[in-house]
Amino acid sequence: MHGQVTGLAYAIFYSLLAALGVPGNLVTIVILSRGKCGLSKCITRYLVGMAVTDLLVLITAVILNRMSAIYFPVFFLSTTPVCSLKIVLIYAARDSSVWLTVAFTIDRFVAICCLKWKAKYCTERVAGVIIGTSCIVSCIKNVPWYFVYEPLYILKGAPWYCNIKLSFYSELLWTIYDWVHRFLNPWFPFFLMLLVNALTVRHILLANRARRRLRAHNTMDKGSDPEMKSRRNSIILLFTISGSFLLLWTTFVVNFLFVRLTKNNYSTGSNAKDPRFILQESGNMLQLLSCCTNTCIYAGTQTRFREEFKNGLKYPLNLIRKLIRS
């Protein structure tokens, strides 16, 4: 499950992921924090929280775990205590990222479909509480992973790498914990986002039909409808974020089902010819890729975000021009 992944293809993939994902999320955090993208403070807080947790996933899972194993296979980060701690941090960051995506989806559902609750629930303060609670609970929930692993090798008395204990597959408590862990991420988030998005689509379709009928009877109102445009922008942002999550996590879920239902073990090697390893690592790669997609989604769906990004790129160039002229 956490074997040493090696090979040129993986080195290229994870290097590109870090090179694009880390600065991409940093840029997203800066742009959204400026509050000039035309989004409410509540939405902005959720999106910044998602970008921060995605950045933490890239730092822990990609840089400290995958890339360190590829480029520095014999390094203190590969000792068993540090390796176990890394895994706890990876899962905590990943769970936080997933549940903030769920919280954002529910927040948009309330704002669009439950107007009576909007003023109470869709606020910057509530968003802050939910973000903080999600991160704290995610950290506590994943502490047991520290005790799942044992050394793969003992070299000169020092424990190296992380190998899953056989008791993890045989003992009832660990089996229950693994199922609960997977249920809370990604099963339950999958179900929630599918349900909430379906309800949101249904509400928007009904609301749009009613609004078209109302405008059809109003012969004086034949121009563009700003309310319809606002709804369309909100739904595009919502569905691209949640749809990206569902798509990129599917392989990860399939691998878990394969391991548990066929009573196999997670792959701990790096054999590119082993179908189990290919399935497992494909799931990991796509799941980690999801931490880089939100920046592209914002750039593709939010005009003001693109404008702020262009202004950020132009700023150093304009500064250089001023220095040259002076």
Side-chain angles (χ1 to χ4, degrees), residues 111-173:
I112 295 170
C113 307
C114 309
L115 297 179
K116 291 182 180 179
W117 298 350
K118 182 178 179 180
K120 183 178 180 180
Y121 179 80
C122 303
T123 65
E124 188 178 12
R125 178 180 173 277
V126 171
V129 171
I130 290 174
I131 291 169
T133 303
S134 298
C135 293
I136 292 171
V137 171
S138 295
C139 290
I140 295 172
K141 164 185 168 290
N142 288 292
V143 169
W145 283 106
Y146 186 85
F147 306 99
V148 169
Y149 299 91
E150 62 184 2
L152 186 61
Y153 306 108
I154 301 290
L155 299 176
K156 297 181 181 180
W160 288 92
Y161 308 120
C162 285
N163 189 44
I164 299 176
K165 298 176 181 177
L166 291 178
S167 59
F168 179 75
Y169 301 101
S170 59
E171 291 185 5
L172 180 61
L173 285 178

Side-chain angles (χ1 to χ4, degrees), residues 163-192:
N163 189 44
I164 299 176
K165 298 176 181 177
L166 291 178
S167 59
F168 179 75
Y169 301 101
S170 59
E171 291 185 5
L172 180 61
L173 285 178
W174 280 123
T175 301
I176 293 173
Y177 177 76
D178 195 27
W179 274 103
V180 170
H181 175 76
R182 304 300 175 181
F183 174 75
L184 294 176
N185 182 17
W187 287 106
F188 193 42
F190 254 66
F191 172 76
L192 271 181

Side-chain angles (χ1 to χ4, degrees), residues 214-250:
L214 181 64
R215 286 171 59 82
H217 287 89
N218 188 356
T219 57
M220 299 297 292
D221 190 6
K222 295 296 183 181
S224 62
D225 188 349
E227 178 65 22
M228 293 281 283
K229 185 177 180 181
S230 176
R231 285 180 185 174
R232 186 165 53 251
N233 290 339
S234 296
I235 205 64
I236 289 173
L237 178 61
L238 171 64
F239 286 169
T240 47
I241 289 176
S242 54
S244 170
F245 169 82
L246 294 171
L247 180 64
L248 294 174
W249 275 76
T250 299

Side-chain angles (χ1 to χ4, degrees), residues 167-297:
S167 59
F168 179 75
Y169 301 101
S170 59
E171 291 185 5
L172 180 61
L173 285 178
W174 280 123
T175 301
I176 293 173
Y177 177 76
D178 195 27
W179 274 103
V180 170
H181 175 76
R182 304 300 175 181
F183 174 75
L184 294 176
N185 182 17
W187 287 106
F188 193 42
F190 254 66
F191 172 76
L192 271 181
M193 285 202 280
L194 285 173
L195 176 63
V196 170
N197 282 334
L199 293 173
T200 303
V201 168
R202 178 178 177 275
H203 175 87
I204 288 176
L205 291 176
L206 293 174
N208 286 351
R209 287 174 190 170
R211 191 167 183 85
R212 287 194 191 101
R213 286 196 298 267
L214 181 64
R215 286 171 59 82
H217 287 89
N218 188 356
T219 57
M220 299 297 292
D221 190 6
K222 295 296 183 181
S224 62
D225 188 349
E227 178 65 22
M228 293 281 283
K229 185 177 180 181
S230 176
R231 285 180 185 174
R232 186 165 53 251
N233 290 339
S234 296
I235 205 64
I236 289 173
L237 178 61
L238 171 64
F239 286 169
T240 47
I241 289 176
S242 54
S244 170
F245 169 82
L246 294 171
L247 180 64
L248 294 174
W249 275 76
T250 299
T251 309
F252 187 88
V253 174
V254 170
N255 180 62
F256 167 73
L257 287 176
F258 170 77
V259 170
R260 282 304 177 184
L261 297 181
T262 62
K263 297 184 178 180
N264 274 287
N265 295 347
Y266 289 107
S267 175
T268 57
S270 184
N271 184 3
K273 296 181 180 179
D274 183 1
R276 289 189 308 152
F277 172 77
I278 294 171
L279 176 63
Q280 178 174 299
E281 194 55 27
S282 297
N284 289 332
M285 292 167 76
L286 290 173
Q287 175 252 313
L288 291 172
L289 180 62
S290 68
C291 295
C292 298
T293 55
N294 284 344
T295 301
C296 298
I297 289 170

